Amino acid sequence: RPLRPGVFRSVAMSFARAVSLFSRTAAAGARFAHSAASQASGASGKKLWFFAGAFGASAVAVYMYSRDSVSADKKVINILISGPPGSGKGTQSANLVRDYKLVHISTGDMLRDEVKAKTPLGLKAKGFMDAGQLVPEEVFFDILKARLSQADVKQRGWLLDGFPRNRAQVELMNKNGLIPDKFVLLTVPDDIALARMCGRRTDPVTGKIYHMLFAPPPNDPEIRARLVHRSDDSEEKGRVRLQQYHKNMD
């Protein structure tokens, strides 16, 4: 079967890279061999040093080519994680970031950072927030696109948490070609999700999240006194959030 143009181009680039690496390392090896041979006594000593230098240069070239090839062929993975409130998205996101070295993009944190930094998009979003209005989908998505275009995200890949939340946001992602390689959907019964939400506490100093039953904070009066219970983690508001989540998923 004939090679596709993309495959031929990839093979050609790999060959060119190998030739370039071998030329550089061979030249270095030759200089080393010549220097060593000039100091060696006798013809046999000079030959030994020359072949040792040439062999070393070849070995280095092979190693460098293999290392660069693996690095060049490494695929950046983009993951989207979703699930109801209290399903453990934060915990699982931390695991994925640790294992795959991804950039964790929490849309809520991202929006707050833009507003705090007073970027043009952040100021635009702040205008709606100050007026008690929801930030329009288009403005929110422009902020997301700006974050995804940054160098660290392009090099390491992203883990998107908290977006999309509804059909309109899904359509925006599709329209802009923002398609994840993997989609992680967490499922948990509503009663367990409620129990997790109601028992959650956040340390405003460290940012660490505890659960009074499942993952209690240390027995330190100072830490326990400063823990914050989010207003939307009450049972009443938790049920509303779960209903909204199921409505969006349907």
Coordinates of all heavy atoms in Angstrom, one line a residue, residues 82-89 184-190 192-193 196 245-246 249:
S82 N -16.3 15.2 34.3 CA -17.6 15.7 34.6 C -18.3 14.8 35.6 O -17.9 13.6 35.8 CB -18.5 15.8 33.4 OG -19.8 16.4 33.7
G83 N -19.3 15.3 36.3 CA -20.0 14.5 37.3 C -20.8 15.4 38.2 O -20.6 16.6 38.2
P84 N -21.7 14.9 38.9 CA -22.6 15.7 39.8 C -21.8 16.3 40.9 O -20.7 15.9 41.2 CB -23.6 14.7 40.3 CG -22.9 13.4 40.3 CD -22.0 13.4 39.1
P85 N -22.4 17.4 41.6 CA -21.7 17.9 42.7 C -21.5 16.8 43.8 O -22.4 16.0 44.0 CB -22.7 19.0 43.2 CG -23.6 19.3 42.0 CD -23.7 18.0 41.2
G86 N -20.3 16.8 44.4 CA -20.1 15.9 45.4 C -19.6 14.5 44.9 O -19.5 13.5 45.7
S87 N -19.3 14.4 43.6 CA -19.0 13.1 43.0 C -17.5 12.8 43.2 O -17.0 11.7 42.9 CB -19.4 13.0 41.5 OG -18.7 14.1 40.8
G88 N -16.7 13.9 43.6 CA -15.3 13.6 43.7 C -14.4 14.1 42.6 O -13.3 13.6 42.4
K89 N -14.9 15.1 41.8 CA -14.2 15.6 40.7 C -12.8 16.2 41.1 O -11.8 16.0 40.4 CB -15.0 16.7 39.9 CG -16.2 16.2 39.2 CD -16.9 17.2 38.4 CE -17.4 18.4 39.2 NZ -18.5 17.9 40.1
V184 N -14.1 11.6 31.1 CA -14.3 10.9 32.4 C -15.6 11.4 33.0 O -15.7 12.5 33.4 CB -13.1 11.1 33.4 CG1 -13.3 10.4 34.7 CG2 -11.8 10.7 32.7
L185 N -16.5 10.4 33.2 CA -17.8 10.8 33.8 C -18.0 10.0 35.1 O -17.9 8.8 35.1 CB -19.0 10.4 32.8 CG -20.4 10.6 33.4 CD1 -20.6 12.1 33.6 CD2 -21.4 10.0 32.4
L186 N -18.1 10.8 36.2 CA -18.2 10.2 37.5 C -19.7 10.1 37.8 O -20.5 11.0 37.6 CB -17.5 11.1 38.5 CG -16.1 11.4 38.3 CD1 -15.5 12.3 39.4 CD2 -15.2 10.1 38.2
T187 N -20.1 9.0 38.4 CA -21.5 8.8 38.8 C -21.5 8.4 40.2 O -20.7 7.6 40.7 CB -22.2 7.7 37.9 OG1 -21.4 6.4 38.1 CG2 -22.2 8.1 36.5
V188 N -22.5 8.9 40.9 CA -22.7 8.6 42.4 C -24.1 8.9 42.7 O -24.8 9.8 42.2 CB -21.7 9.5 43.2 CG1 -22.0 11.0 43.0 CG2 -21.8 9.1 44.7
P189 N -24.7 8.0 43.6 CA -26.1 8.2 44.0 C -26.3 9.6 44.7 O -25.4 10.1 45.3 CB -26.4 7.1 45.0 CG -25.4 6.0 44.6 CD -24.2 6.8 44.1
D190 N -27.5 10.2 44.5 CA -27.7 11.5 45.0 C -27.6 11.6 46.6 O -27.1 12.6 47.1 CB -29.1 12.0 44.7 CG -29.2 12.4 43.2 OD1 -28.2 12.4 42.5 OD2 -30.3 12.8 42.8
I192 N -25.6 9.9 48.5 CA -24.2 9.9 48.9 C -23.5 11.3 48.5 O -22.7 11.9 49.2 CB -23.4 8.8 48.2 CG1 -23.9 7.4 48.7 CG2 -21.9 8.9 48.4 CD1 -23.2 6.2 48.1
A193 N -23.9 11.8 47.3 CA -23.4 13.1 46.9 C -23.8 14.2 47.9 O -23.0 15.1 48.3 CB -23.9 13.5 45.5
R196 N -21.7 14.0 51.0 CA -20.4 14.5 50.8 C -20.4 16.0 50.8 O -19.5 16.6 51.4 CB -19.9 14.0 49.5 CG -19.5 12.5 49.4 CD -19.0 12.1 48.0 NE -18.6 10.7 48.0 CZ -18.2 10.2 46.9 NH1 -18.2 10.8 45.7 NH2 -17.8 8.9 46.9
Y245 N -28.1 19.6 37.7 CA -27.2 18.7 37.0 C -27.9 17.7 36.1 O -27.6 17.5 35.0 CB -26.2 18.1 38.0 CG -25.4 17.0 37.4 CD1 -24.2 17.3 36.7 CD2 -25.7 15.7 37.5 CE1 -23.4 16.3 36.1 CE2 -24.9 14.7 37.0 CZ -23.8 15.0 36.2 OH -23.0 14.0 35.7
H246 N -28.8 17.0 36.8 CA -29.6 15.9 36.0 C -30.3 16.5 34.9 O -30.4 15.9 33.8 CB -30.5 15.2 37.0 CG -29.8 14.4 38.0 ND1 -28.8 13.4 37.7 CD2 -29.9 14.4 39.4 CE1 -28.3 12.9 38.8 NE2 -29.0 13.4 39.8
M249 N -27.9 17.1 32.1 CA -27.4 15.8 31.5 C -28.4 15.2 30.6 O -28.1 14.5 29.6 CB -27.0 14.9 32.6 CG -25.7 15.3 33.4 SD -24.2 15.3 32.3 CE -24.0 13.5 32.0

